[in-house]
Amino acid sequence: MVVLSQSQASIVLQTKNTHLVLTVGNNHRLYQSYLGARLTSPGDLEKLSGGREVYLTGGMENQFEPAIRMVHADGNPSLELEYASHTTEQKENVSYINIILKDPVYPVKVQLQYRGYFNEDVITCNATIQHHEKKPVRLTQYASSLLHFNAGTYWLTQFHGDWAREANMVDEQLTNGIKNIESKLGTRTNFYQTPAFFLSLDKPATETSGELIAGTLGWTGNFQFTFEIDQRNQLRLRSGINPFASDYTLNPGELFTTPEFIFTYSNQGKGQASRNLHRWARNYAVLDGKSPRLTLLNNWEATYFNFNETKLIELFDGAKQLGVDLFLLDDGWFGNTFPRDSDKAGLGDWQENKSKLPNGIGRLVAEATKRGIKFGIWLEPEMVNPKSDLYQQHPDWILRLPNRAVHLARNQLVLDLTNPKVQDFVFSIVDGLLTKNLGVAFIKWDCNRSMTNAYSAYLKEKQSHLFIEYTRCLYKVLDRIRARYPHLPIMLCSGGGGRTDYGALKYFTEFWPSDNTDGLERIFIQWGYSYFFPANTMAAHITSMGKGQSLKFRTDVAMAGKLGYDIRVNEFTPQELQFSQEAVTTYKRINDVIWQGDLYRIISPYEENRAVTMYVNDKKSKAILFNYILNVRRKDIFTRVQLQGLDAQKKYRFKEINLFPGTKANNPDNDKVFTGDYLMTVGLNLTPGKVLSLTSNVYEITEE
Ligand code: DGJ
């Protein structure tokens, strides 16, 4: 443990290209003296001092948004935090700094925890709050972090949406005052706002230029990012759990640990920031981020609730024909008193529906195994339909106001996960399913509504803990599941992209970005998520959605993520089947580059009526390029495309793959060899000849 004297005041967190420098002032308070590009000249770090207070408190002289606000047991609403000590530790690629701050008057301690991921240039920070007053204190603000910036102008990029139109990107210049990006939705918390942003300094950052930070919060619940520009044009960025309706009563000795704010600094634009986050995610944040994923055929869009055992087994044949790894049975397989034949009934009764599945899941697993494919299943274990046995047996297990009518969404209600009995129930559903049916190899975990009229019978007078406790308890259940099934692939779904955060991805191998699987729409949705999440986490299925779009176009779009199908394979023409079989084989050959490679977003669909992206492997020996033409207009002129991320010195063969049977590459540069320098400097014409709307190409670029 280090205790700094006032004259040698410097706590330095360093990654490959970033420095965060904190210093202690003469008043014992902790200041952010520097955050930005790594300083390389000797002596420069020591010159840093002053700055803005790191974890600003409320109730004293600070007049802006505080990181923490506490009302003490005696009613005093002030807090002062002075530096007490800190520890630093380096374990291989990760450095850990823990700083203890204490109030000189009240027995309150805050520990700030920083982690620096050197190679990935990612920093995470959070806080642990504790006190030893005689009675509980009330926390009304409890940020994960507060960062300070001092630039001429500030530019925010945020991502918002709704069902089937997730992750729309919007850029704006921030003006004086406060801008919040936040959620108050509880479950399905990212329904309207994705918990991630870019903050560009001085000018809007592009893919390849500009200074910015990319930030996101590892919390599957209400979140809040506050951007506040003060009268001196300085910006504070506060991130954490949204304190809305969530005053927290903290008992003496109890620890309140905030989720991690995750950020990366880049002075080379958004592309570099994304690549940093992707690498960090795969190495540290996503469950089994470096391991392969399963390709699959899902039945949701092919059947909705209308299926039986025979129909499903026929679909297995489709999965086998395609050559995918797994068949995923979606919603509708359960409920007997209240059969799940629509979204109106059955949720909560997780027993196989006897008329649809007379021989249970066991038979399905056996039939899938016979065909050499794995079997996965859909669950929505946090929810209940009023028309269910569960609802009737355990009315007290449900979040609902005691004296008001229930408010249904998708005809369902949220279970009260803060109640340990409900946690046991949810765990037992998953555990029971997996122990009874040993072959179940995949789960899709859905969550189709947010919280309204929320009230927990279990929490009694602590209703303001509900939003926070719910998320903590969700993690508790997931911890139990992961302790027993550490590597079972589970897709996180929330009526599309209603849950997309790194707090959850610790437990999940992938997420479902949207119920909108129209290829054109997916280009934008996947584009939005690609800023923060690597391709191996983004499930992308080929379905029959997408007016006027060929199967080839829809397949090329899905290939840029974690490819799957949700379609009636038996309705394919022989050519479509052949194409899809070849596509799955091709995807299995190249998916390592897509899942583990560096992503370069080269031409944005927000700027042109086309989109071009590239994935490049670590050795820069292989790249996959996707070229999508949107709805072209006569005015559109598509210029040459300079590739990125290759080795200028290497020679590469440029070859179109994933062609539809009977078609040939029409690019005169196809199958030719170029230097990396040529490809990146002169570039290629990716739109030779007549440009047709909703067409696409996939190119494999291989070192000779
Ligand atoms: C919403 C999901 O996003 C869909 O993929 C599907 O699983 C349905 N729920 C099933 O109810």
Side-chain angles (χ1 to χ4, degrees):
M1 183 188 294
V2 187
V3 181
L4 294 177
S5 75
Q6 288 166 39
S7 52
Q8 42 108 227
S10 204
I11 303 170
V12 179
L13 187 74
Q14 123 184 345
T15 64
K16 195 156 66 178
N17 296 298
T18 314
H19 264 135
L20 170 65
V21 180
L22 312 179
T23 61
V24 179
N26 291 332
N27 57 1
H28 307 290
R29 301 225 188 138
L30 185 69
Y31 292 92
Q32 178 190 312
S33 299
Y34 181 77
L35 170 60
R38 186 165 164 196
L39 302 174
T40 47
S41 302
D44 283 357
L45 285 175
E46 289 72 32
K47 292 199 180 73
L48 293 165
S49 66
R52 290 292 170 127
E53 209 172 325
V54 169
Y55 204 68
L56 264 171
T57 64
M60 295 193 53
E61 73 282 359
N62 166 41
Q63 294 175 314
F64 294 91
E65 287 293 304
I68 180 167
R69 184 172 174 275
M70 178 183 284
V71 180
H72 297 278
D74 63 6
N76 185 316
S78 70
L79 186 69
E80 181 174 12
L81 290 176
E82 293 184 344
Y83 168 85
S85 63
H86 76 278
T87 56
T88 58
E89 195 186 348
Q90 182 79 35
K91 276 196 216 147
E92 291 170 2
N93 183 48
V94 191
S95 46
Y96 300 81
I97 300 183
N98 293 333
I99 306 168
I100 303 224
L101 308 172
K102 285 183 176 163
D103 189 317
V105 175
Y106 288 89
V108 175
K109 183 169 102 175
V110 174
Q111 177 166 307
L112 303 180
Q113 285 115 208
Y114 294 87
R115 279 170 188 49
Y117 296 83
F118 189 85
N119 289 322
E120 296 79 7
D121 270 323
V122 167
I123 296 175
T124 65
C125 34
N126 72 331
T128 299
I129 304 163
Q130 194 185 19
H131 74 91
H132 290 286
E133 298 189 18
K134 291 209 171 63
K135 286 191 181 149
V137 305
R138 187 157 52 89
L139 282 168
T140 66
Q141 178 60 255
Y142 28 76
S144 294
S145 94
L146 188 73
L147 293 176
H148 300 274
F149 299 89
N150 195 358
T153 53
Y154 304 96
W155 305 80
L156 179 68
T157 307
Q158 71 178 105
F159 300 82
H160 70 94
D162 195 345
W163 180 75
R165 51 183 193 84
E166 290 86 345
N168 299 289
M169 179 167 74
V170 179
D171 286 306
E172 65 174 323
Q173 182 176 358
L174 292 173
T175 54
N176 284 67
I178 290 181
K179 161 98 186 183
N180 280 335
I181 304 177
E182 62 175 29
S183 157
K184 302 189 183 88
L185 307 182
T187 47
R188 208 182 186 185
T189 189
N190 309 140
F191 197 17
Y192 305 140
Q193 297 282 347
T194 305
F197 64 87
F198 290 113
L199 175 69
S200 306
L201 307 177
D202 289 319
K203 59 175 195 247
T206 69
E207 277 297 311
T208 51
S209 71
E211 199 182 3
L212 64 107
I213 75 151
T216 182
L217 190 77
W219 183 246
T220 318
N222 294 351
F223 69 91
Q224 187 181 57
F225 300 120
T226 300
F227 304 83
E228 183 173 32
I229 302 182
D230 67 19
Q231 80 288 8
R232 300 171 70 102
N233 204 46
Q234 305 208 4
L235 183 142
R236 284 145 225 251
L237 159 56
R238 181 180 63 193
S239 50
I241 297 174
N242 190 349
F244 167 77
S246 296
D247 281 8
Y248 197 90
T249 308
L250 190 67
N251 288 320
E254 185 186 341
L255 299 177
F256 184 96
T257 301
T258 70
E260 281 183 340
F261 175 58
I262 301 141
F263 73 97
T264 181
Y265 165 85
S266 157
N267 53 15
Q268 290 162 51
K270 295 173 181 170
Q272 188 57 51
S274 286
R275 290 187 288 279
N276 293 347
L277 287 173
H278 292 176
R279 278 174 180 263
W280 169 82
R282 289 187 300 250
N283 289 337
Y284 298 100
V286 175
L287 185 80
D288 292 335
K290 302 292 282 181
S291 308
R293 301 294 193 247
L294 297 169
T295 53
L296 57 82
L297 172 69
N298 190 189
N299 71 310
W300 176 241
E301 287 186 34
T303 64
Y304 294 105
F305 296 96
N306 182 16
F307 58 82
N308 57 28
E309 188 182 87
T310 318
K311 212 165 169 183
L312 288 178
I313 294 173
E314 274 167 27
L315 292 176
F316 292 179
D317 290 330
K320 185 176 164 58
Q321 272 180 306
L322 283 173
V324 295
D325 304 309
L326 177 125
F327 179 85
L328 170 61
L329 172 57
D330 214 282
D331 195 353
W333 57 268
F334 48 89
N336 285 298
T337 324
F338 301 94
R340 181 75 172 167
D341 291 332
S342 74
D343 62 21
K344 293 193 172 62
L347 214 51
D349 299 346
W350 299 104
Q351 296 78 36
E352 295 98 323
N353 176 279
K354 292 213 171 76
S355 60
K356 281 184 188 167
L357 302 178
N359 303 298
I361 291 165
R363 171 81 193 281
L364 297 177
V365 175
E367 289 295 330
T369 313
K370 240 193 246 170
R371 288 161 177 79
I373 52 172
K374 295 176 195 285
F375 180 83
I377 198 158
W378 179 95
L379 287 173
E380 192 178 3
E382 298 159 75
M383 301 284 162
V384 62
N385 282 130
K387 286 190 182 148
S388 66
D389 291 335
L390 184 72
Y391 183 92
Q392 294 185 354
Q393 285 157 11
H394 298 286
D396 56 323
W397 280 13
I398 291 151
L399 294 180
R400 54 171 300 180
L401 290 162
N403 50 356
R404 293 184 194 276
V406 291
H407 178 241
L408 299 176
R410 208 195 190 212
N411 308 300
Q412 66 193 56
L413 292 161
V414 185
L415 291 177
D416 182 2
L417 214 50
T418 68
N419 183 337
K421 287 189 185 142
V422 177
Q423 294 165 29
D424 288 346
F425 169 77
V426 172
F427 174 75
S428 73
I429 293 308
V430 179
D431 189 41
L433 188 83
L434 294 170
T435 35
K436 255 206 304 183
N437 306 286
L438 289 178
V440 171
F442 186 95
I443 286 176
K444 175 176 176 185
W445 181 301
D446 209 342
C447 166
N448 279 296
R449 71 157 292 173
S450 53
M451 290 183 191
T452 52
N453 291 17
Y455 179 96
S456 156
Y458 180 79
L459 286 177
K460 299 199 177 78
E461 74 290 348
K462 289 201 174 152
Q463 293 305 317
S464 65
H465 290 205
L466 175 56
F467 286 121
I468 294 175
E469 260 339 293
Y470 188 95
T471 304
R472 285 179 176 169
C473 294
L474 173 65
Y475 292 159
K476 264 195 212 167
V477 173
L478 291 168
D479 278 331
R480 281 171 75 183
I481 293 172
R482 282 306 174 199
R484 196 163 289 184
Y485 307 98
H487 300 292
L488 181 86
I490 310 186
M491 180 201 288
L492 177 58
C493 174
S494 186
R499 274 179 171 171
T500 49
D501 76 275
Y502 280 115
L505 282 175
K506 201 164 107 186
Y507 302 100
F508 294 88
T509 43
E510 58 218 74
F511 69 93
W512 181 235
S514 180
D515 279 352
N516 192 340
T517 47
D518 171 308
L520 178 62
E521 301 281 348
R522 269 292 180 126
I523 289 175
F524 287 89
I525 293 168
Q526 291 170 198
W527 186 272
Y529 285 123
S530 83
Y531 284 106
F532 300 92
F533 301 102
N536 64 345
T537 63
M538 242 192 271
H541 294 179
I542 296 142
T543 73
S544 38
M545 252 188 230
K547 262 203 191 127
Q549 297 166 22
S550 65
L551 181 65
K552 151 91 178 142
F553 180 78
R554 287 173 282 144
T555 305
D556 287 355
V557 174
M559 268 196 174
K562 205 222 85 171
L563 173 135
Y565 287 82
D566 199 340
I567 202 163
R568 295 189 194 140
V569 180
N570 61 357
E571 291 178 7
F572 278 172
T573 64
Q575 277 186 326
E576 283 176 334
L577 181 61
Q578 185 193 336
F579 167 72
S580 302
Q581 288 168 328
E582 288 169 3
V584 171
T585 309
T586 303
Y587 185 73
K588 289 190 172 179
R589 183 171 62 76
I590 62 172
N591 61 23
D592 201 44
V593 185
I594 296 165
W595 294 342
Q596 301 295 329
D598 272 334
L599 169 64
Y600 293 84
R601 284 175 297 259
I602 299 178
I603 295 191
S604 166
Y606 283 85
E607 287 164 13
E608 297 190 25
N609 275 323
R610 63 173 170 167
V612 180
T613 58
M614 251 178 99
Y615 296 89
V616 185
N617 71 354
D618 261 1
K619 289 192 197 138
K620 295 189 184 290
S621 59
K622 169 93 69 193
I624 305 296
L625 183 146
F626 293 96
N627 178 44
Y628 305 116
I629 307 299
L630 316 185
N631 282 314
V632 265
R633 293 180 51 206
R634 218 178 159 79
K635 70 164 187 60
D636 290 323
I637 295 166
F638 296 140
T639 54
R640 290 174 87 81
V641 177
Q642 275 101 33
L643 310 196
Q644 293 175 30
L646 300 172
D647 182 336
Q649 308 307 318
K650 286 186 173 165
K651 284 194 171 148
Y652 296 94
R653 183 172 294 275
F654 173 77
K655 194 168 174 16
E656 182 160 7
I657 57 171
N658 213 36
L659 285 156
F660 198 77
T663 65
K664 283 204 189 109
N666 76 339
N667 194 314
D669 288 331
N670 185 52
D671 216 5
K672 292 199 176 140
V673 175
F674 301 90
T675 63
D677 192 26
Y678 182 96
L679 292 172
M680 294 193 291
T681 313
V682 181
L684 295 173
N685 179 4
L686 296 181
T687 40
K690 192 165 166 37
V691 184
L692 297 175
S693 291
L694 307 174
T695 56
S696 53
N697 316 86
V698 184
Y699 292 100
E700 186 171 8
I701 300 164
T702 315
E703 184 183 355
E704 280 282 293

